[in-house]
Amino acid sequence: MNDDPRENDPGIITFIIKSPKYTLDIKGKKLKVGDSLEKVKELPGFTSMQEILGVYTIYFNNMMTDESIRIIPSKDGLIECINIEPRYY
């Protein structure tokens, strides 16, 4: 028995972007590889960033939304990789 109906969703559930060729539109704000890590603070609903082993997890609306973003920055503070996926509790 599945308690979470999202587990049965046949759609795409994860995006990983490593190229500046693609732009991710998150709630009306554009984000792409090569942007400053600080730009994520401008995303609507931004609550906090947590860094673990060089990977930043971005939370929205006090963690009350179903998505989170993970970002790997370069040493210069530029985004090298963006991963967006649903969070499961």
Side-chain angles (χ1 to χ4, degrees):
M1 180 169 119
N2 284 331
D3 294 334
D4 191 339
R6 294 175 296 178
E7 291 179 0
N8 297 321
D9 186 7
I12 296 173
I13 60 170
T14 301
F15 284 95
I16 298 174
I17 299 174
K18 292 184 175 185
S19 169
K21 182 167 114 175
Y22 301 102
T23 301
L24 190 60
D25 188 322
I26 304 169
K27 301 176 185 179
K29 291 283 188 174
K30 309 283 187 202
L31 191 64
K32 68 179 187 175
V33 171
D35 286 344
S36 169
L37 179 62
E38 293 298 311
K39 187 173 181 179
V40 299
K41 293 180 179 178
E42 300 170 8
L43 297 174
F46 170 83
T47 299
S48 64
M49 273 194 281
Q50 179 182 18
E51 187 263 334
I52 299 175
L53 300 173
V55 178
Y56 287 81
T57 301
I58 316 304
Y59 296 105
F60 296 98
N61 299 322
N62 292 319
M63 297 188 222
M64 298 304 292
T65 58
D66 288 338
E67 75 272 3
S68 64
I69 298 174
R70 288 183 186 84
I71 292 178
I72 299 174
S74 68
K75 291 185 187 332
D76 300 331
L78 301 178
I79 297 171
E80 286 187 345
C81 180
I82 304 170
N83 174 350
I84 185 166
E85 62 186 70
R87 287 189 301 123
Y88 293 101
Y89 305 93

